[in-house]
C-alpha cells in the first residue's frame, strides 16, 4: 500500500512535468525559430536594399554616359559637315543621322519598378514573420511559457527608402531622386 502512494505521486509528477515541459520546449523552440527568421529576413532586406540602389545607380550612370556620348557625337557630326556654320540645322535635319535610343531609359524605369517590388516583398515577409512572433507573446498559454523562459519580443526595422545605412537607422524614405547630384 505504501508503495502505491509513491507510484501515484510519481505518475502525477511525471504527467505534470510532461504536460508542462513539452509545451515549454515547443513554445521555446518556435519562438527561437521565429526570432532567427526575423533576424535573417532583416539581413535579407538590407542586402536587397543595397542591390536596388547599386543597380539603379549603375544603370542611371550608363544612361547618362550614353546621353553625353551621343551629344558629343552629334556635335562632331554637325561641325564636320559644315565648318563655316551656315545652315547647320537644316542640313542636319535633312541628313540621315544616328538616332538616340531611348531603350536605356525604358530599361532603367523597368529596373526601378522591379527592384522596388523585390524590396517591398522582402519587407512584407519580415512583417509577416514578426506578426507570428508577436502573436506568440499575446496568446495564452504561449505568453506564459515565453515569460517563464525569459524571452522578450523582438523589434524590426522597416525601411521605406534612403541610402542603405541611413535608411536602416531612420526608417524614413526621403531621397528617391535618382538624378540628383551628390555634393
Amino acid at each position: 500500500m505504501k508503495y502505491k502512494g509513491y507510484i501515484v505521486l510519481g505518475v502525477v509528477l511525471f504527467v505534470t512535468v510532461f504536460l508542462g515541459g513539452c509545451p515549454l520546449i515547443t513554445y521555446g523552440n518556435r519562438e527561437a525559430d521565429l526570432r532567427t527568421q526575423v533576424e535573417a529576413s532583416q539581413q535579407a532586406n538590407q542586402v536587397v536594399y543595397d542591390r536596388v540602389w547599386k543597380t539603379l545607380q549603375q544603370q542611371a550612370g550608363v544612361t547618362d554616359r550614353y546621353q553625353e556620348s551621343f551629344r558629343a557625337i552629334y556635335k562632331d557630326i554637325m561641325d564636320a559637315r559644315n565648318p563655316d556654320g551656315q545652315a547647320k540645322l537644316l542640313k542636319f535635319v535633312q541628313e540621315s543621322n544616328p538616332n538616340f535610343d531611348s531603350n536605356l531609359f525604358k530599361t532603367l524605369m523597368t529596373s526601378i519598378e522591379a527592384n522596388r517590388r523585390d524590396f517591398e516583398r522582402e519587407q512584407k515577409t519580415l512583417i509577416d514573420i514578426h506578426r507570428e512572433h508577436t502573436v506568440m507573446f499575446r496568446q495564452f498559454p504561449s505568453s506564459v511559457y515565453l515569460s517563464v523562459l525569459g524571452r522578450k519580443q523582438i523589434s524590426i526595422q522597416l525601411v521605406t527608402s534612403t541610402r542603405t545605412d541611413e535608411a536602416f537607422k531612420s526608417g524614413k524614405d526621403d531621397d528617391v531622386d535618382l538624378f540628383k547630384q551628390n555634393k
Side-chain angles (χ1 to χ4, degrees):
M1 274 305 189
K2 196 174 189 183
Y3 293 113
K4 269 189 174 178
Y6 288 127
I7 292 172
V8 169
L9 182 61
V11 169
V12 168
L13 281 173
F14 176 76
V15 169
T16 304
V17 168
F18 183 76
L19 291 177
C22 282
L24 183 70
I25 293 168
T26 301
Y27 289 126
N29 287 342
R30 179 68 181 138
E31 190 277 336
D33 180 48
L34 289 172
R35 180 177 298 274
T36 303
Q37 285 183 46
V38 165
E39 291 166 356
S41 185
Q42 191 78 53
Q43 290 173 343
N45 274 336
Q46 195 165 359
V47 168
V48 169
Y49 184 87
D50 191 51
R51 183 208 61 204
V52 166
W53 276 109
K54 285 178 180 173
T55 300
L56 297 181
Q57 284 179 329
Q58 288 172 347
Q59 284 184 347
V62 167
T63 303
D64 287 346
R65 177 69 72 164
Y66 174 77
Q67 192 174 13
E68 290 168 11
S69 298
F70 188 81
R71 187 176 296 128
I73 290 169
Y74 255 66
K75 185 179 181 311
D76 290 346
I77 290 171
M78 288 175 65
D79 288 345
R81 290 200 174 129
N82 194 1
D84 62 0
Q86 296 181 355
K88 280 185 184 180
L89 185 57
L90 181 60
K91 282 185 176 181
F92 178 74
V93 170
Q94 292 172 345
E95 293 174 359
S96 177
N97 291 294
N99 291 322
F100 183 79
D101 185 7
S102 64
N103 283 330
L104 288 174
F105 289 103
K106 290 176 186 174
T107 301
L108 179 60
M109 289 173 15
T110 302
S111 290
I112 291 168
E113 185 176 349
N115 280 295
R116 298 282 284 177
R117 277 200 186 114
D118 285 350
F119 188 69
E120 177 188 23
R121 185 174 37 257
E122 289 295 327
Q123 292 279 83
K124 287 180 177 180
T125 299
L126 177 63
I127 291 167
D128 193 49
I129 297 167
H130 184 255
R131 178 195 54 76
E132 283 186 59
H133 189 263
T134 301
V135 165
M136 289 188 72
F137 282 88
R138 292 185 180 169
Q139 286 183 341
F140 180 82
S142 59
S143 60
V144 174
Y145 285 105
L146 293 175
S147 72
V148 166
L149 290 170
R151 304 283 173 88
K152 302 286 184 215
Q153 279 190 276
I154 54 177
S155 61
I156 60 173
Q157 178 69 45
L158 296 177
V159 178
T160 56
S161 255
T162 311
R163 304 301 166 153
T164 305
D165 290 337
E166 294 170 11
F168 277 83
K169 289 177 187 175
S170 69
K172 301 283 183 178
D173 179 4
D174 61 0
D175 185 10
V176 293
D177 184 4
L178 296 175
F179 303 107
K180 183 174 83 174
Q181 296 292 327
N182 292 333
K183 295 181 181 180

